[in-house]
Amino acid sequence: MGSAVNVWKLCQFPSKHWTASRYNILPFRHLGTSLPKFATEKVETEVSTVDDILEDLRKPELSDQEILQKRFKARLPERIYRKHVLKQPVPIESKYDYERYRLRGYYARFGEESKLNPGICWPTKEEMAEIIKYDEIFEPTLQERIRNVESKRLEEEKHKKEVEAEVDKNMANLDKWISDYHAKIEKKEKKAEELKQQRERLVEEISEYLGYDIDPRDPRFKEAVEQRDKEKKKAMKLKKQQESYDKMIDKLRKIAESK
């Protein structure tokens, strides 16, 4: 006998019921024949309907308030969110909010929507008296303010006249400055040209001294310049010595002739 094979088969009926059939298949062979014969055993088990399963899996519907709460990503307290994000007035609840300067700010921000008396924005009699006293002590009087404004205006006019005079003076010297600038540029260019010619003459002299053309970037060029300068100095020294000797001879000759 062969081993048993378990096969599960799902069948859907018009009544939308699911049934499961289990078959135990036992293949075997009779003597003298090649065709198998099967013995089956069927066990049916009733399961729940699809509607019942979906009903169990279905989550309860959310209310509008719960949906709004899930959409709210700021996670701020409602009072702060309404006041600073939605810019809506919030009810005054704590003692901290009843301070006078906070009530003024509350009215200044929300206006009539705050449902506050606008009179809270005006100083009280005590505050007015304190303000007047402060102004009398620390603030200048009207006459002093007028004098300060007048003196400031005179200073500004004086400064303006000085600036205009300086501009007129500079405009008078403008032509001279322009000519000086061009002369300076011309002198600079002339000096650069002289240096260029001097360098070219030096290259020619060194080439003539060596007997062949040489590149100024060649290290031998610098050595040749130094060698030539040494020879020039030596020649100048000998020339001076010869001149001194000639002068001394002339002087001795004159002394001899005078005797």
Side-chain angles (χ1 to χ4, degrees), residues 14 17 19-20 22 24 45 50 52 55 59 63-64 78 80 91 102 109 133 155 169 173-174 176 189 192 234:
H17 283 72
T19 60
R22 179 182 178 186
N24 293 330
T45 305
V50 176
D52 294 339
E55 187 66 25
K59 295 181 179 179
S63 63
D64 295 340
E78 181 182 359
I80 296 177
R102 291 194 174 277
R109 185 169 186 177
K133 186 176 180 180
E155 289 179 0
K169 180 181 177 182
N173 296 327
L174 182 61
K176 179 178 178 298
E189 292 177 352
K234 187 176 181 180

Side-chain angles (χ1 to χ4, degrees), residues 154-207:
L154 293 175
E155 289 179 0
E156 290 178 353
E157 289 181 357
K158 181 180 178 181
H159 178 69
K160 182 179 179 181
K161 290 180 180 179
E162 291 176 354
V163 172
E164 290 176 352
E166 185 70 18
V167 170
D168 294 338
K169 180 181 177 182
N170 293 337
M171 290 298 295
N173 296 327
L174 182 61
D175 295 336
K176 179 178 178 298
W177 290 344
I178 292 175
S179 61
D180 292 344
Y181 172 76
H182 288 299
K184 184 178 179 181
I185 296 298
E186 185 178 356
K187 183 179 179 181
K188 187 176 180 180
E189 292 177 352
K190 185 178 180 181
K191 185 176 180 180
E193 184 66 23
E194 290 177 355
L195 291 174
K196 182 179 178 181
Q197 293 177 1
Q198 183 179 356
R199 184 171 182 81
E200 290 177 354
R201 287 195 300 269
L202 179 62
V203 172
E204 292 177 359
E205 291 176 2
I206 297 301
S207 298

Side-chain angles (χ1 to χ4, degrees), residues 77-215:
E78 181 182 359
R79 181 182 178 85
I80 296 177
Y81 180 76
R82 287 179 56 189
K83 183 177 180 180
H84 297 285
V85 179
L86 300 180
K87 307 298 182 182
Q88 296 177 355
V90 295
I92 300 174
E93 298 175 350
S94 63
K95 182 180 178 181
Y96 176 76
D97 294 330
Y98 279 95
E99 295 182 6
R100 189 176 185 83
Y101 75 96
R102 291 194 174 277
L103 292 175
R104 290 174 177 176
Y106 192 75
Y107 182 83
R109 185 169 186 177
F110 300 109
E112 295 181 355
E113 294 182 0
S114 63
K115 299 179 181 180
L116 294 175
N117 184 5
I120 61 174
C121 299
W122 188 256
T124 61
K125 293 182 179 180
E126 293 78 8
E127 291 175 345
M128 283 296 298
E130 186 176 354
I131 292 172
I132 293 172
K133 186 176 180 180
Y134 179 88
D135 291 343
E136 290 176 352
I137 297 174
F138 298 102
E139 296 295 335
T141 61
L142 178 60
Q143 290 74 15
E144 291 177 351
R145 291 176 185 270
I146 293 174
R147 286 195 297 269
N148 293 337
V149 171
E150 185 66 20
S151 62
K152 185 177 181 180
R153 185 181 64 81
L154 293 175
E155 289 179 0
E156 290 178 353
E157 289 181 357
K158 181 180 178 181
H159 178 69
K160 182 179 179 181
K161 290 180 180 179
E162 291 176 354
V163 172
E164 290 176 352
E166 185 70 18
V167 170
D168 294 338
K169 180 181 177 182
N170 293 337
M171 290 298 295
N173 296 327
L174 182 61
D175 295 336
K176 179 178 178 298
W177 290 344
I178 292 175
S179 61
D180 292 344
Y181 172 76
H182 288 299
K184 184 178 179 181
I185 296 298
E186 185 178 356
K187 183 179 179 181
K188 187 176 180 180
E189 292 177 352
K190 185 178 180 181
K191 185 176 180 180
E193 184 66 23
E194 290 177 355
L195 291 174
K196 182 179 178 181
Q197 293 177 1
Q198 183 179 356
R199 184 171 182 81
E200 290 177 354
R201 287 195 300 269
L202 179 62
V203 172
E204 292 177 359
E205 291 176 2
I206 297 301
S207 298
E208 185 178 355
Y209 174 78
L210 295 175
Y212 56 86
D213 294 336
I214 186 171
D215 191 345

